[in-house]
Amino acid sequence: MAAPSFSTPFQPFVYQSPQDAVTPFQILGSEAQIVQIMLKPQEKVVAKPGSMCYMSGSIQMENVYAPENEAGVWQWLFGKSVTSIVLHNTGSTDGFVGIAAPTIARILPIDLAIFGGQMLCQPDAFLCSINDVKVNNTIDQRARNVVTSAEGFLRQKISGQGLAFLVGGGSVVQKNLVVGEVLAVDVSNIVALSASVNVQIKYNGPMRRVVFGGDNLVTAVLTGPGIVFIQSMPFQRLSQRVARAVTSPNVRENPKFFLQIAIFFFIAYVIVVSSLILTDI
């Protein structure tokens, strides 16, 4: 079955697996992109739930739980999905699937065989994969690398020798770090990096800035060698700006307004209680 025709400036790509299996795919669009993958009979694609945009009639979709997901409970607590969808061509002719980016983002094809068989990325960066790709959501046990968000608490690792598709918000920049080269990046702007890159977390100022404002509070200091993919508009930042635009003026100007009010009343409560205790004494 022929894939639908689209007007796009992007040319079709061909992925060749280590077993010499050839899989054509095409990245469509410019901002909120779609990757269209051609599947031969019995071939399949593993994708993120809710990412399937369209598919041919010979494709069967199944929702499965990934047993290698080590942080499934933590993902569920943070409102993230713990399952994946498998798109399988059960027909006798070629089929196709269209996998869409969940937001205004670019799709990055990553051949893991070129990157040493392993990449570390943001928990929501993985979109779909072809052939031998495993996705593990693990917890970074190093206390200094735990930041105050789900994206900092969870770390997604993709491994194998297949082709993975990642998403990056806004524009995406690739930095090739040589041995000993240092690059400082805001933690929310990192899409993915190779496992050879050393990562150190740096807090830019006291923790009270978390309450009283402080963009770019946490910075990742990256040391080469390795490759880093950087996004200009993380979804978390985009959603915060949209929320500010639709909320009341007080909250719009200061998104931590309610938290600051709660802290103010808590401090007042402590002062009043302390005064009563001292008066009784």
Side-chain angles (χ1 to χ4, degrees), residues 249-280:
N250 287 336
V251 179
R252 186 185 311 167
E253 296 171 2
N254 185 3
K256 300 180 179 67
F257 175 75
F258 292 112
L259 180 59
Q260 293 175 354
I261 290 296
I263 292 176
F264 172 78
F265 281 108
F266 175 76
I267 295 175
Y269 172 79
V270 171
I271 294 175
V272 171
V273 172
S274 301
S275 301
L276 293 175
I277 293 176
L278 292 175
T279 302
D280 292 338

Side-chain angles (χ1 to χ4, degrees), residues 7-278:
S7 175
T8 171
F10 293 87
Q11 297 299 319
F13 298 95
V14 175
Y15 165 70
Q16 185 172 0
S17 70
Q19 295 77 27
D20 294 330
V22 176
T23 304
F25 68 92
Q26 189 175 12
I27 297 178
L28 309 171
S30 57
E31 300 301 334
Q33 293 184 329
I34 296 175
V35 56
Q36 180 176 282
I37 305 172
M38 300 297 296
L39 296 178
K40 296 179 181 179
Q42 305 309 315
E43 287 186 340
K44 62 182 180 180
V45 170
V46 179
K48 187 176 180 179
S51 61
M52 194 282 295
C53 185
Y54 58 85
M55 61 184 180
S56 60
S58 61
I59 306 297
Q60 296 294 325
M61 183 170 59
E62 182 182 3
N63 200 328
V64 299
Y65 174 76
E68 66 272 10
N69 193 342
E70 300 174 8
V73 176
W74 290 106
Q75 276 193 295
W76 179 77
L77 289 175
F78 283 113
K80 299 178 183 293
S81 176
V82 295
T83 61
S84 299
I85 58 173
V86 177
L87 302 161
H88 188 199
N89 185 5
T90 58
S92 58
T93 59
D94 291 352
F96 58 88
V97 295
I99 307 296
T103 182
I104 302 175
R106 291 187 176 273
I107 298 177
L108 312 174
I110 305 294
D111 188 347
L112 292 176
I114 299 177
F115 291 91
Q118 183 174 301
M119 291 283 290
L120 300 176
C121 56
Q122 292 278 3
D124 290 329
F126 175 78
L127 181 64
C128 63
S129 64
I130 304 172
N131 294 330
D132 177 29
V133 175
K134 291 184 179 180
V135 182
N136 296 76
N137 288 283
T138 60
I139 301 174
D140 195 334
Q141 302 295 339
R142 294 172 293 180
R144 67 177 182 273
N145 283 358
V146 175
V147 296
T148 55
S149 69
E151 267 59 33
F153 189 66
L154 292 174
R155 172 166 290 186
Q156 192 172 75
K157 179 175 69 175
I158 55 176
S159 58
Q161 299 297 314
L163 180 67
F165 294 91
L166 307 180
V167 292
S171 300
V172 178
V173 177
Q174 176 180 329
K175 292 291 186 181
N176 301 321
L177 303 181
V178 300
V179 178
E181 183 178 358
V182 178
L183 179 68
V185 185
D186 186 86
V187 290
S188 63
N189 289 92
I190 299 176
V191 179
L193 49 81
S194 54
S196 59
V197 177
N198 179 268
V199 182
Q200 296 291 330
I201 298 299
K202 177 183 178 183
Y203 290 90
N204 302 314
M207 288 302 296
R208 63 176 179 269
R209 292 185 183 175
V210 177
V211 178
F212 297 104
D215 294 332
N216 301 117
L217 175 69
V218 185
T219 301
V221 181
L222 312 177
T223 305
I227 296 178
V228 183
F229 293 94
I230 303 171
Q231 59 185 348
S232 65
M233 181 57 67
F235 177 74
Q236 182 181 9
R237 186 180 302 167
L238 175 63
S239 61
Q240 288 176 350
R241 293 183 178 179
V242 172
R244 293 179 189 180
V246 298
T247 52
S248 61
N250 287 336
V251 179
R252 186 185 311 167
E253 296 171 2
N254 185 3
K256 300 180 179 67
F257 175 75
F258 292 112
L259 180 59
Q260 293 175 354
I261 290 296
I263 292 176
F264 172 78
F265 281 108
F266 175 76
I267 295 175
Y269 172 79
V270 171
I271 294 175
V272 171
V273 172
S274 301
S275 301
L276 293 175
I277 293 176
L278 292 175

